[in-house]
Amino acid sequence: MPNNLAEPSDGEGLLHCAPLFSRLGAFVLTVGMVLAFFISQLVGVYIAGKLVLPATQHGSMADIFFFGSNDGTVVSISIVIGCILLVVTSIVIIRLRGGKVRQYLALKPFSFTVGMGMLGLLLIFMIVSQALTYMLDMTPLVFVDPLYQSVSSVWLLVFAMVVVAPIYEEVVFRGILWSAIKEQFTAPSYSVHHGAIVASIVTSLIFATIHVQYGIYEISTIVVLALIFCYARIKSGSLLLPIVLHIVNNGAAMWQYIVQAA
């Protein structure tokens, strides 16, 4: 059977042939990518701290992490560094397993109609979430305060948090991990969408829990948001739509924060 035979049932374009990862391999990949997510952030903070903070040039690693994690310029640069590390890591892993990067990560155009429909769903979520946040008197972006006050350029922070962060988070969670988990449940014994549902639930829960800067309420809303991104990938068959939606969500949140902080 040809390797490029697409799976028409869900538009994902994943292969009918053997999956890239075994069950154990998918589990190891999931744990490894979560660890890589945090390690890349630490590496990014360390490198950026060395470059940006003169006072830490001869300081200990603990000093660099302490001061760097509260400096907007350092964090912004570290996000860019982390993005490069995680995207490259994902590409290398897929290629080492013999997969096609564009196909496995679903890097292809999406329907305008589907895109507008998912944007509408996202806007509904944002309105409801904002209403709940207001009624419960929550301040989910309080962790941004020290970053906003210390960054050398607000636009650098905006670029990092609004554009760069969504790219690598989607590549990891709705990209390689979503595909690796989904393909474990594509056998004839499973229903058509079983793998997509399992992958969406698992990756959404992991995605929410890694946001350690938030409280329980914020994490619960992130689970819902992540499920919307997963649904966007399923409906469009493309990772590009979740990336766009993620950028729109982060952009709206950052715009609201800047307006209130002004």
Side-chain angles (χ1 to χ4, degrees), residues 107-185:
L107 300 176
K108 58 183 180 180
F110 55 87
S111 163
F112 176 79
T113 303
V114 173
M116 293 305 295
M118 292 306 307
L119 179 60
L121 179 60
L122 176 64
L123 291 176
I124 293 174
F125 164 81
M126 291 167 62
I127 292 171
V128 173
S129 176
Q130 181 60 35
L132 286 174
T133 300
Y134 177 78
M135 288 188 295
L136 297 175
D137 194 27
M138 294 290 184
T139 54
L141 292 181
V142 65
F143 74 94
V144 179
D145 288 344
L147 306 181
Y148 180 78
Q149 295 165 5
S150 60
V151 70
S152 59
S153 169
V154 172
W155 291 110
L156 175 61
L157 184 64
V158 170
F159 175 71
M161 298 187 70
V162 174
V163 179
V164 179
I167 292 175
Y168 73 77
E169 288 180 350
E170 292 306 312
V171 167
V172 171
F173 293 98
R174 260 67 62 182
I176 186 171
L177 293 185
W178 196 92
S179 293
I181 295 172
K182 178 185 181 295
E183 68 183 6
Q184 305 305 316
F185 303 91

Side-chain angles (χ1 to χ4, degrees), residues 46-229:
Y46 181 80
I47 294 175
K50 280 288 190 178
L51 295 173
V52 174
L53 302 176
T56 63
Q57 289 297 318
H58 303 290
S60 66
M61 186 176 295
D63 291 333
I64 295 175
F65 288 142
F66 177 78
F67 293 107
S69 60
N70 290 291
D71 184 276
T73 303
V74 172
V75 170
S76 298
I77 296 174
S78 73
I79 289 175
V80 176
I81 294 173
C83 178
I84 295 172
L85 293 175
L86 288 171
V87 170
V88 170
T89 298
S90 299
I91 292 173
V92 169
I93 291 174
I94 294 171
R95 287 184 173 175
L96 287 177
R97 299 298 300 175
K100 298 179 179 179
V101 175
R102 291 178 63 86
Q103 189 173 39
Y104 203 73
L105 295 180
L107 300 176
K108 58 183 180 180
F110 55 87
S111 163
F112 176 79
T113 303
V114 173
M116 293 305 295
M118 292 306 307
L119 179 60
L121 179 60
L122 176 64
L123 291 176
I124 293 174
F125 164 81
M126 291 167 62
I127 292 171
V128 173
S129 176
Q130 181 60 35
L132 286 174
T133 300
Y134 177 78
M135 288 188 295
L136 297 175
D137 194 27
M138 294 290 184
T139 54
L141 292 181
V142 65
F143 74 94
V144 179
D145 288 344
L147 306 181
Y148 180 78
Q149 295 165 5
S150 60
V151 70
S152 59
S153 169
V154 172
W155 291 110
L156 175 61
L157 184 64
V158 170
F159 175 71
M161 298 187 70
V162 174
V163 179
V164 179
I167 292 175
Y168 73 77
E169 288 180 350
E170 292 306 312
V171 167
V172 171
F173 293 98
R174 260 67 62 182
I176 186 171
L177 293 185
W178 196 92
S179 293
I181 295 172
K182 178 185 181 295
E183 68 183 6
Q184 305 305 316
F185 303 91
T186 55
S189 58
Y190 295 107
S191 63
V192 173
H193 298 294
H194 185 76
I197 293 173
V198 172
S200 298
I201 293 174
V202 172
T203 57
S204 296
L205 291 174
I206 297 174
F207 178 71
T209 55
I210 65 168
H211 286 77
V212 294
Q213 69 270 36
Y214 293 113
I216 298 299
Y217 165 74
E218 290 83 5
I219 288 178
S220 64
T221 61
I222 292 175
V223 171
V224 178
L225 181 63
L227 288 172
I228 291 175
F229 294 155

